Amino acid sequence: MARVSLDTLLRRSERNMGNGMNPIVKQSALEVIRRAYKEGIHVQISQGMRTYAEQNRLYAQGRTAPGSIVTNARGGQSNHNFGLAVDFFLTTWDGTKATWTVNDNWRRAAAIAKSLGFEWGGDWRSFKDYPHLEMTGGLSTAQLRAGSRPSLTDRTGTATPSPSSNGGNGSSPAPGGTELVKTAQRWANQYKEEASFRELDVDGLNGPLTMDALLRICQLFGKTAIDGIWGPRTKASVPEQSITDHQPGWTRLIQATLVCLGYNLNIDGIYGTNTRGAISAYQRSQGIGVDGIAGPETFEEFFKTA
């Protein structure tokens, strides 16, 4: 029985959280998964953002609709409605089944979450909500409904600060690039229908869904099957791009991908010295041939684990 991959857990969880999550809450939830995985614990997020209507339907469960009562919060009374909460569960070793037993592994996952700033529903005195994690910054739902938003602290150590000034040569990764990643996500979203992916949350955080979208755009441009899986056919569809021979669409894809990997570039479709320098730096970091040309081997490094 093969162990479920970390990327699979992250991708499922990011998809389940949906759009509209607070960026720090989202990034912290993904970090819980990463840290738990290192300890042999498989955490998956089951839900994140909920609309008021979704919350009301959940509230009706066990009251006016079939099922058991799972929440005491109506629409607007849950921190899920403001992108500040997630629910989680554990999976089996192969990731094929959810497990809901609140055992030592479950409590360890909750402890990891609390170390990152989450409050755990399992600590509540009245209504124990063991799958629930939230960050409110001390705000009540009444304050949130009135428009207040919390100031949260990122404790993951993986935050992406604004790009550093490196003379614009793109030769080394900028430490972060949140605003640049947002630009890349906006660029990718224009292809969401053609490339068959759900609109990305423009949050400036590079996660599995962003890389999946970029891979699907690569497959769209290469006119091959759009399945989000890097394979021989996708690799064969990628043309070399260089200063002397490049196409704007492919160049923008390269630039967007490098931006999401931490490089400081404009997404302008111009394969100039900045882009060539970033490609060379990336190739060097991956231990492949350094020529400043983005070809199949470089794209494979981009997307082989997307």
Side-chain angles (χ1 to χ4, degrees), residues 56-80:
N56 284 330
R57 285 196 293 271
L58 200 62
Y59 179 81
Q61 187 175 312
R63 295 182 173 89
T64 59
S68 302
I69 291 177
V70 293
T71 182
N72 289 329
R74 299 175 186 269
Q77 297 176 343
S78 168
N79 288 308
H80 282 282

Side-chain angles (χ1 to χ4, degrees), residues 1 4 42 90-99:
M1 180 189 302
V4 61
H42 301 154
L90 305 187
T91 79
T92 53
W93 184 257
D94 61 358
T96 60
K97 295 180 181 179
T99 64

Side-chain angles (χ1 to χ4, degrees), residues 26-46:
K26 177 179 178 180
Q27 180 151 282
S28 299
L30 295 176
E31 184 64 15
V32 171
I33 298 168
R34 294 186 186 97
R35 295 189 185 186
Y37 192 84
K38 290 180 180 179
E39 298 184 23
I41 303 170
H42 301 154
V43 175
Q44 184 173 315
I45 305 301
S46 59

Side-chain angles (χ1 to χ4, degrees), residues 19 22 32 68 77 90 111 140 179 193 204 227 258 260 265 273 291 304-305:
N19 293 339
N22 177 284
V32 171
S68 302
Q77 297 176 343
L90 305 187
S140 67
E179 291 303 319
E193 294 178 1
D227 56 10
L258 287 168
C260 289
L265 286 171
T273 56
D291 57 11
K304 62 184 179 182
T305 58

Side-chain angles (χ1 to χ4, degrees), residues 157-170:
T158 60
T160 46
S162 59
S164 68
S165 173
N166 63 358
N169 60 19

Side-chain angles (χ1 to χ4, degrees), residues 13 18 35 37 64 67 81 135 140 164 171 190 197 219 259:
S13 297
R35 295 189 185 186
Y37 192 84
T64 59
N81 304 149
M135 288 187 189
S140 67
S164 68
S171 60
Q190 68 182 305
F197 62 86
Q219 292 174 325
V259 160

Side-chain angles (χ1 to χ4, degrees), residues 48-300:
M49 184 70 183
R50 289 187 204 137
T51 64
Y52 281 25
E54 289 169 335
Q55 187 68 38
N56 284 330
R57 285 196 293 271
L58 200 62
Y59 179 81
Q61 187 175 312
R63 295 182 173 89
T64 59
S68 302
I69 291 177
V70 293
T71 182
N72 289 329
R74 299 175 186 269
Q77 297 176 343
S78 168
N79 288 308
H80 282 282
N81 304 149
F82 306 98
L84 300 176
V86 298
D87 291 335
F88 76 96
F89 58 87
L90 305 187
T91 79
T92 53
W93 184 257
D94 61 358
T96 60
K97 295 180 181 179
T99 64
W100 297 93
T101 303
V102 183
N103 54 18
D104 288 345
N105 281 347
W106 191 291
R107 293 182 183 279
R108 176 56 188 155
I112 293 170
K114 290 195 291 184
S115 75
L116 292 168
F118 280 108
E119 297 175 41
W120 179 41
D123 289 332
W124 294 348
R125 292 185 178 181
S126 56
F127 179 80
K128 296 287 187 181
D129 193 353
Y130 292 104
H132 185 85
L133 302 170
E134 66 179 30
M135 288 187 189
T136 66
L139 296 182
S140 67
T141 53
Q143 290 172 307
L144 293 168
R145 288 195 300 274
S148 297
R149 291 297 179 265
S151 176
L152 301 178
T153 300
D154 188 337
R155 302 182 187 178
T156 66
T158 60
T160 46
S162 59
S164 68
S165 173
N166 63 358
N169 60 19
S171 60
S172 61
T178 297
E179 291 303 319
L180 288 176
V181 173
K182 286 182 180 180
T183 300
Q185 290 167 329
R186 292 189 190 97
W187 174 82
N189 276 337
Q190 68 182 305
Y191 296 103
K192 63 181 184 294
E193 294 178 1
E194 294 174 273
S196 303
F197 62 86
R198 192 177 68 184
E199 183 173 358
L200 297 173
D201 197 1
V202 180
D203 56 10
L205 301 175
N206 180 37
L209 291 186
T210 298
M211 293 305 292
D212 175 74
L214 294 172
L215 170 53
R216 289 171 181 271
I217 294 170
C218 176
Q219 292 174 325
L220 172 69
F221 288 177
K223 299 179 180 179
T224 189
I226 300 175
D227 56 10
I229 300 172
W230 179 267
R233 292 186 179 180
T234 302
K235 184 175 181 178
S237 74
V238 174
E240 286 191 346
Q241 302 294 302
S242 66
I243 282 183
T244 58
D245 186 7
H246 64 273
Q247 302 166 49
W250 282 102
T251 299
R252 288 189 179 93
L253 172 60
I254 292 164
Q255 292 166 333
T257 304
L258 287 168
V259 160
C260 289
L261 293 172
Y263 290 80
N264 189 351
L265 286 171
N266 292 323
I267 304 173
D268 56 13
I270 300 171
Y271 201 115
T273 56
N274 290 355
T275 299
R276 181 178 63 182
I279 285 290
S280 296
Y282 177 75
Q283 291 169 331
R284 190 175 299 109
S285 72
Q286 299 304 302
I288 60 177
V290 179
D291 57 11
I293 297 172
E297 298 300 324
T298 301
F299 274 86
E300 184 166 49

